[in-house]
Amino acid sequence: MDRLPLHQDLYLIAHDKTGKPYVHPASLALGLAGAALLDRLLTGPVKPLLNPGPVALIKGAAAGGIYDRTREELLGSGVLVRVTGRRLGMLPYTRYELADIASVVRASSGARSAVEGWKPPDARCAGLCGLVAVLRLESELYLDQPAARLVARLREIAASAASPVGELVEIVDTLVAEAAVAVYR
């Protein structure tokens, strides 16, 4: 199976097997937008519209429904399956579950290898490490390390990567922090 785009890998890491997100949807949308932008920057030139900065691109992608688009892409490729049913026999629900746990294992394997030192990270892997740290998804890597040390290592991997990885991770970190405190303003 070919490697999934970075934002799809992040989506898989950020959800449990029943499709429930581990982080707040607004923060996850910013992370997905950052991952999609980073993927574009690493795979080819980005065609700017009126030359917006990365902050505007990330916020625009998050506001543009990247969460729903990513879920639909994963449904279309068969990585997720739609499950419908009724709670208490009356209340309808729809969940988006993993078709196979192997997808999550593949999505997180590069980050685990980089943290453990088994394989040097490429720019894509370093970006995923940084975004996992920003969204505090470190426990989903299932590594036997204290959370603070693991987050520090993930951030170190992202910061040591070539441009634009570190800068983009820092922008997403700032946007997620601003979104978290915006409710108190």
Side-chain angles (χ1 to χ4, degrees), residues 6-112:
L6 186 57
H7 66 286
Q8 291 180 12
D9 280 349
L10 185 61
Y11 182 100
L12 293 173
I13 294 169
H15 289 78
D16 69 11
K17 65 181 180 176
T18 67
K20 182 179 176 188
Y22 291 118
V23 297
H24 191 275
S27 297
L28 183 53
L30 290 167
L32 293 172
L37 178 59
L38 184 57
D39 229 3
R40 290 289 308 270
L41 291 171
L42 295 174
T43 59
V46 177
K47 297 177 185 173
L49 300 173
L50 302 175
N51 199 16
V55 172
L57 287 171
I58 291 170
K59 284 186 173 180
I66 192 162
Y67 182 86
D68 292 335
R69 282 195 316 273
T70 303
R71 183 184 64 222
E72 292 302 318
E73 291 167 359
L74 289 167
L75 278 168
S77 64
V79 174
L80 296 179
V81 293
R82 183 175 290 131
V83 175
T84 58
R86 294 192 175 272
R87 287 187 184 95
L88 304 172
M90 298 173 24
L91 305 170
Y93 68 85
T94 302
R95 288 193 315 236
Y96 302 93
E97 297 182 357
L98 286 171
D100 182 9
I101 193 69
S103 301
V104 178
V105 173
R106 277 190 296 274
S108 60
S109 65
R112 284 195 312 273

Side-chain angles (χ1 to χ4, degrees), residues 97-132:
E97 297 182 357
L98 286 171
D100 182 9
I101 193 69
S103 301
V104 178
V105 173
R106 277 190 296 274
S108 60
S109 65
R112 284 195 312 273
S113 294
V115 169
E116 293 289 344
W118 301 325
K119 182 178 166 186
D122 59 4
R124 181 188 185 282
C125 177
L128 182 61
C129 287
L131 293 170
V132 165

